[in-house]
Amino acid sequence: MKKDAAKLLARADECLEEARQLFNFNHQLGAINRAYYCIFDCARALLYENGPYAKTHQGVQTKLSELFIKTAILERRHGDAMRYVFEL
């Protein structure tokens, strides 16, 4: 695994833990934010590991869809979940 992808996954893990803690203290908005960044950083790591780089949130969503959802490497529900949490 590339060093930068590993850093992104470590950050995603941290975001997930923060989301859990915020949720447990009834801070739903903060929990949603941290959960989204967990998903976002995982998607960025996946893209980084496979070559393409996207600078924006929309760019990451688009590249993830083009390269992994439309090719059935990932299920459509994963892309839908990312968009849903982003909109929250």
Side-chain angles (χ1 to χ4, degrees):
M1 179 180 299
K2 295 178 182 174
K3 184 178 176 182
D4 288 340
K7 284 182 183 178
L8 287 167
L9 290 178
R11 192 162 72 185
D13 190 50
E14 193 174 308
C15 288
L16 181 59
E17 181 56 33
E18 291 170 359
R20 286 182 178 136
Q21 290 178 15
L22 287 165
F23 182 80
N24 288 337
F25 284 99
N26 294 317
H27 296 288
Q28 286 81 12
L29 194 56
I32 290 167
N33 175 275
R34 302 321 298 155
Y36 171 75
Y37 275 96
C38 173
I39 296 167
F40 180 70
D41 285 339
C42 286
R44 288 179 61 209
L46 182 62
L47 291 172
Y48 188 83
E49 192 68 16
N50 288 279
Y53 178 76
K55 292 182 179 182
T56 66
H57 292 261
Q58 185 63 44
V60 169
Q61 291 178 25
T62 299
K63 287 289 184 189
L64 187 72
S65 179
E66 288 173 4
L67 299 170
F68 297 99
I69 307 296
K70 290 180 181 176
T71 59
I73 293 171
L74 290 176
E75 295 177 20
R76 181 181 175 94
R77 66 186 175 98
H78 297 301
D80 291 344
M82 184 176 183
R83 279 187 297 282
Y84 176 74
V85 176
F86 176 74
E87 290 171 7
L88 287 175

